[in-house]
Amino acid sequence: MTETLFEIAFRHVFGRAPEGAWAAPGRVNLIGEHTDYNDGYVMPFALPHTTRAAVARRDDGILRLHSAAMDDGVVELRLDELAPGATPGWARYPAAVLWTLREAGHPVGGADIHYDSTVPVGGGLSSSAALQVATALALTELHEVDLPRQELALLCQRAENDYVGAPVGVMDQTASACCTQGHALHLDVRALAQRQVPFDLAAEGLRLLVVDTRVKHAHADGAYGRLRAGCEEAAALLGLPALRDLPHDGLDAALAALPDDRLRRLTRHVVTENRRVQDVIALLDAGRTPEIGPLLTAGHASLRDDFRVSCPELDLVVDAALATGALGARMTGGGFGGSAIVLVTESAADAVTTAIAAALPQARQFPTTPGAGARRLR
Ligand code: ADP
Ligand code: MG
């Protein structure tokens, strides 16, 4: 087989040929934001953009990592020195995956890994999950560890929680591992039940734009933990295992029972957002795709006003899109910067793109369709 440029890049870095190459995509979340760590519903789909890993095993207990996206050369780590919090920089993500696989008892050893990526890094499109899932799929397949995709995603989440130290939910990793081309993935996070929901934009004369604002506000990481803790506190005060357990028709009574405005706002977002996921699915199943637009916009208002995780740049993009005739628009991902999505008819797409560019010149925009989940390339 002829070597691909990607395999040649591996050879250039490590002086030998890789044993294989894998790819895992970034994602956007169509609807269901900040619901995953409340045991609720999410609905992401995979981007065509992927992070690729070319890998060859080593038998000397050493992990060597190289990324075309970084300028720090080859990072070399000893497996017996891997420990939560011990690895600096980007290498902590793949190191976390290897450590977590080994902690779970899987017979996975050292490796040389070269990465490249078309997922914007730090843009709220889950480059971190793509990096982890590509690594996990490569190492498990090379070592013949048979892990179902959802298990693999949970393992990557554990890696990010326990080793990287970020208290994230399981949506991003599940999207990267489990999505399929042409579908959005409905995931019930508590049951870990999945359904692939057909989401064919072109057949309906629609376009979905991703708009990366290219800002990430500095307080994002600490805020995430506080939001999560606030949701848990509200659920505990209501005597519920998680906010997922509060039905939509019990919302008013629950809000009246909560002692402060912040907990009321968090609760209202999670409960209404879970409902919006169900409503979007019902519309998609009924072939009424354009009608999901107002639900996306309502989701944005809830994230902006109740959950308070939007930011001026995301609001600018959403407002510019809606003012130019978009069917719906919302921030996607954790918030405080990152990306927005815009649902638009093909005939209005150019005008909307122009209006967004005028409102936020730094934004990077691209139309997208649901891509495939993680896979072996070679
Ligand atoms: P997002 O997941 O939204 O892109 P995060 O802050 O969660 O943003 O993850 C970005 C981090 O993941 C980067 O700072 C880097 O440490 C790591 N990362 C992502 N993609 C790559 C890559 N291709 N090569 C090296 N590190 C990467
Ligand atoms: Mg991330």
Side-chain angles (χ1 to χ4, degrees):
M1 233 186 315
T2 340
E3 270 191 324
T4 63
L5 282 177
F6 184 48
E7 288 163 326
I8 292 169
F10 179 99
R11 181 190 290 285
H12 184 72
V13 174
F14 293 114
R16 59 178 176 141
E19 291 180 85
W22 288 260
R27 62 96 191 94
V28 291
N29 191 20
L30 185 60
I31 190 78
E33 214 66 78
H34 288 277
T35 46
D36 64 343
Y37 55 81
N38 288 296
D39 271 4
Y41 306 118
V42 296
M43 203 164 174
F45 64 84
L47 291 171
H49 304 66
T50 61
T51 296
R52 298 190 297 177
V55 186
R57 286 170 287 181
R58 300 176 63 95
D59 56 14
D60 58 358
I62 287 178
L63 177 64
R64 292 198 296 172
L65 303 166
H66 181 267
S67 171
M70 300 290 153
D71 54 15
D72 54 355
V74 175
V75 179
E76 185 165 317
L77 303 165
R78 288 174 47 112
L79 296 197
D80 57 9
E81 288 175 2
L82 296 184
T87 311
W90 69 271
R92 67 192 190 278
Y93 290 96
V97 169
L98 191 50
W99 180 82
T100 309
L101 279 166
R102 288 165 64 87
E103 286 290 299
H106 299 302
V108 173
D112 290 338
I113 312 181
H114 168 67
Y115 300 97
D116 71 7
S117 183
T118 53
V119 186
V121 174
L125 302 175
S126 266
S127 69
S128 57
L131 178 62
Q132 291 177 302
V133 170
T135 306
L137 190 65
L139 292 174
T140 51
E141 288 198 3
L142 275 177
H143 288 93
E144 291 171 15
V145 174
D146 190 18
L147 266 190
R149 289 300 177 97
Q150 181 69 77
E151 290 295 315
L152 187 131
L154 284 165
L155 191 135
C156 290
Q157 181 203 14
R158 232 166 23 247
E160 192 154 351
N161 291 167
D162 298 349
Y163 196 98
V164 177
V168 297
V170 77
M171 171 174 67
D172 297 349
Q173 296 84 356
T174 306
S176 188
C178 302
C179 280
T180 58
Q181 185 120 27
H183 298 86
L185 175 69
H186 177 217
L187 175 68
D188 174 336
V189 174
R190 169 169 291 159
L192 290 176
Q194 299 187 0
R195 184 160 80 90
Q196 305 284 346
V197 181
F199 187 48
D200 184 352
L201 293 155
E204 314 250 8
L206 297 174
R207 255 187 228 164
L208 197 118
L209 308 175
V210 176
V211 186
D212 179 1
T213 63
R214 300 173 70 198
V215 293
K216 186 171 186 180
H217 293 288
H219 53 282
D221 290 345
Y224 189 92
R226 286 193 296 279
L227 290 163
R228 187 171 180 151
C231 290
E232 282 162 10
E233 187 187 343
L237 284 168
L238 294 167
L240 300 169
L243 286 180
R244 139 71 179 269
D245 298 295
L246 181 57
H248 192 265
D249 60 10
L251 181 57
D252 288 344
L255 294 180
L258 285 170
D260 76 77
D261 184 54
R262 178 169 176 267
L263 297 186
R264 282 193 288 272
R265 287 189 288 97
L266 297 180
T267 301
R268 188 163 51 220
H269 169 71
V270 173
V271 172
T272 59
E273 185 78 350
N274 276 327
R275 176 63 170 268
R276 283 186 285 273
V277 177
Q278 308 288 50
D279 291 347
V280 164
I281 290 170
L283 287 170
L284 292 182
D285 282 341
R288 292 161 57 189
T289 309
E291 290 173 59
I292 72 172
L295 291 165
L296 304 186
T297 305
H300 184 77
S302 179
L303 289 161
R304 180 190 62 208
D305 302 335
D306 273 346
F307 225 65
R308 301 196 180 168
V309 294
S310 189
C311 64
E313 295 85 355
L314 286 165
D315 293 342
L316 259 179
V317 168
V318 167
D319 292 346
L322 295 173
T324 331
L327 299 171
R330 63 183 288 271
M331 53 159 280
T332 186
F336 307 109
S339 296
I341 54 172
V342 177
L343 184 70
V344 63
T345 57
E346 263 159 26
S347 56
D350 286 350
V352 168
T353 301
T354 306
I356 293 169
L360 192 69
Q362 77 209 33
R364 215 180 273 140
Q365 308 186 45
F366 56 91
T368 197
T369 51
R375 60 219 178 250
R376 185 170 193 158
L377 299 173
R378 304 266 285 183

